[in-house]
Amino acid sequence: MPAVKSAVENLSPTRVKLTVEVPSEELQPHVDAALKSIGDQIQVPGFRKGKVPARIIEQRVGKGAVIQEAVNEALPEFFGKAVDETEIDPIGQPEVDITEVPMTDEENLKFTVEVDVRPEVVLPDYDGLQIQVDNLEVTDADVQEKLTELRERFGTLVGVDRTAENGDFVSIDLRAEAAGEEVDSVEGVSYEVGSGNMLEGIDEALLGMSKGETKNFSAPLAGGDQAGTVADCTVTVQSVKVRELPEVDDEFAQMASEFDTAAELREDVAKQAEQAKKFEQGIQARDKVLEHLLENTDIAIPEGIVETEVHNHLEQESRLEDDEHRAEVDEQTRKALKTQFLLDAIGKAEEVEVGQPELIEYLMMQAQQYGMEPNQFAQMLDQQGQVEGMVGEVARRKALAAALDKATIVDADGNAVDLEEITPGGDDGADEVVEDESAEASETTEDEQA
């Protein structure tokens, strides 16, 4: 049987044009399927439904309609064969132009496809790359900060008879309305003044308020269908409280830890502070390795992917006319794509493979981040077709860890930094710091690159 013929023309480093010719014999099974599908839908007097002869169907709906349905159904298959034959790596949505439709058995189907492709990446030599990080310095302030975090976990809130200040905890009723209609309202919500994790402007409104006092302010809504809409907000303070922290003594040590004395607890906290500083060194090393590779690798970026991703992002935020924000999103998208292509190339060079245990670990970590049960999160990924994207993200993390493993890390004094010390117990330190890697690169819509 004659095979599909295809030729590829490079339009740019990231875009190609495929010219595809499909012999009529290859298309015929799809024509037969189209005839059956149409025959199952139409009613012709004298014939049972589904038993109408092909020639009668063509007379009723026209041969052109049959061929058109067959072509539409067959295009993904023939595009796939052309991709395999030409060995291109397409990303994004293909643009198809049918140039010849076969109306007789002697004619062939011809079409062209323009599509973005993954760029070729020539990696710089990163084996033995030397990266400098900050010196390991643990101060009394660092230890005290860790102790304060522990004390806050066991602190108690005590009511005070004064106006609210930064750091106070207030119980509030909050109501928001837009265009005269209530958008949301909550009662008895606890909030730390100055934390900045609620509506914009609420911290300024709460400062100086007393128990029972009400104040109005305006703020853009942060989520929902009306995100960005400026709402009229009313906040009422029910109570003002301060957090009282326990003293660090032997009794506290026994309550808050496995230790019997405050001295033992302080010693352990000092070790934790040192470990945290080592982890910061690892994060700094990771970021510097990635930044060095990005700066020293020429990677062409598919403009079509960038344009689509930026448009979708701004459309979701209802900010299509915000040129300043568009420039920011455009820059972020380009860096995210370049990072993906770079790490994918490293993964290929390092022959990175992703095992099921690694996928499960990543899935559980992501499920926890989104506040979902792991099985439910896995089902959601499967339904949305994002499993392949998750595999790609895990592979990129492993690729970055592989590059970090090959680097030589020193501090500002020239002393070698051993990332293995970050994870006492034998785990790979490079893997550990990469687990903390921001998912920025994966934010680019995976569907755009399927």
Side-chain angles (χ1 to χ4, degrees), residues 21-25 27 63 100-110:
E21 182 174 357
V22 181
S24 57
E25 294 92 332
L27 183 62
K63 186 171 184 177
E100 290 187 26
V101 177
M103 298 302 293
T104 67
D105 293 341
E106 290 74 32
E107 296 175 330
N108 295 335
L109 168 65
K110 296 180 181 180

Side-chain angles (χ1 to χ4, degrees), residues 28-337:
Q28 189 57 47
H30 297 279
V31 174
D32 294 339
L35 284 167
K36 184 178 186 311
S37 175
I38 295 172
D40 289 340
Q41 299 173 42
I42 64 174
Q43 198 78 22
V44 178
F47 297 95
R48 285 182 298 165
K49 196 170 185 179
K51 301 296 183 180
V52 183
R55 61 182 181 79
I56 302 298
I57 295 174
E58 289 183 357
Q59 289 174 1
R60 278 298 183 97
V61 302
K63 186 171 184 177
V66 175
I67 297 297
Q68 187 63 52
E69 180 164 335
V71 169
N72 290 341
E73 182 68 26
L75 276 177
E77 176 188 325
F78 296 139
F79 174 61
K81 288 183 177 181
V83 166
D84 292 339
E85 181 181 340
T86 56
E87 297 182 342
I88 65 170
D89 190 356
I91 55 178
Q93 297 300 314
E95 296 179 6
V96 181
D97 181 23
I98 300 173
T99 55
E100 290 187 26
V101 177
M103 298 302 293
T104 67
D105 293 341
E106 290 74 32
E107 296 175 330
N108 295 335
L109 168 65
K110 296 180 181 180
F111 64 93
T112 62
V113 182
E114 286 193 21
V115 66
D116 290 316
V117 293
R118 185 176 295 274
E120 291 188 14
V121 178
V122 179
L123 293 171
D125 184 11
Y126 53 86
D127 195 353
L129 173 68
Q130 182 163 308
I131 296 294
Q132 185 183 98
V133 297
D134 296 336
N135 287 335
L136 180 66
E137 297 178 354
V138 182
T139 65
D140 291 340
D142 295 324
V143 177
Q144 190 58 46
E145 182 181 349
K146 288 287 181 184
L147 272 175
T148 299
E149 290 175 2
L150 182 60
R151 293 169 66 201
E152 286 178 345
R153 288 168 52 190
F154 294 88
T156 55
L157 296 179
V158 179
V160 291
D161 188 16
R162 61 166 172 76
T163 59
E165 301 173 359
N166 274 326
D168 288 347
F169 287 81
V170 291
S171 179
I172 60 174
D173 297 341
L174 183 62
R175 182 176 183 273
E177 64 175 40
E181 295 186 5
E182 183 178 287
V183 178
D184 198 8
S185 65
V186 292
E187 295 181 354
V189 174
S190 180
Y191 177 69
E192 182 180 0
V193 181
S195 61
N197 56 13
M198 201 175 266
L199 281 175
E200 182 181 318
I202 194 169
D203 289 314
E204 292 79 2
L206 288 171
L207 286 174
M209 290 183 67
S210 303
K211 177 181 178 180
E213 188 176 352
T214 296
K215 188 180 289 186
N216 298 320
F217 67 99
S218 297
L221 296 174
D225 296 336
Q226 300 188 56
T229 302
V230 176
D232 298 317
C233 306
T234 302
V235 60
T236 300
V237 174
Q238 292 183 353
S239 63
V240 180
K241 298 179 180 180
V242 296
R243 177 187 276 152
E244 290 189 352
L245 304 182
E247 293 297 323
V248 181
D249 52 21
D250 292 350
E251 182 180 351
F252 174 73
Q254 294 164 19
M255 174 182 65
S257 73
E258 68 211 60
F259 303 105
D260 294 325
T261 67
E264 292 175 314
L265 174 60
R266 287 181 183 276
E267 182 180 351
D268 183 69
V269 169
K271 291 179 181 178
Q272 292 179 32
E274 181 180 9
Q275 195 67 19
K277 287 291 184 178
K278 288 180 179 179
F279 193 81
E280 287 177 10
Q281 282 185 320
I283 298 299
Q284 191 179 15
R286 175 205 70 194
D287 291 346
K288 285 193 171 185
V289 165
L290 179 58
E291 201 61 38
H292 174 88
L293 292 173
L294 286 172
E295 290 175 356
N296 289 275
T297 309
D298 291 327
I299 301 177
I301 303 299
E303 294 299 324
I305 298 293
V306 174
E307 183 179 344
T308 300
E309 180 62 21
V310 171
H311 179 86
N312 291 343
H313 184 103
L314 296 176
E315 189 173 47
Q316 289 175 358
E317 294 183 339
S318 300
R319 298 175 68 176
L320 285 171
E321 307 303 321
D322 189 337
D323 292 338
E324 184 176 349
H325 187 50
R326 177 181 291 275
E328 294 173 357
V329 176
D330 184 274
E331 181 180 357
Q332 292 166 1
T333 301
R334 290 177 186 277
K335 183 173 182 180
L337 281 170

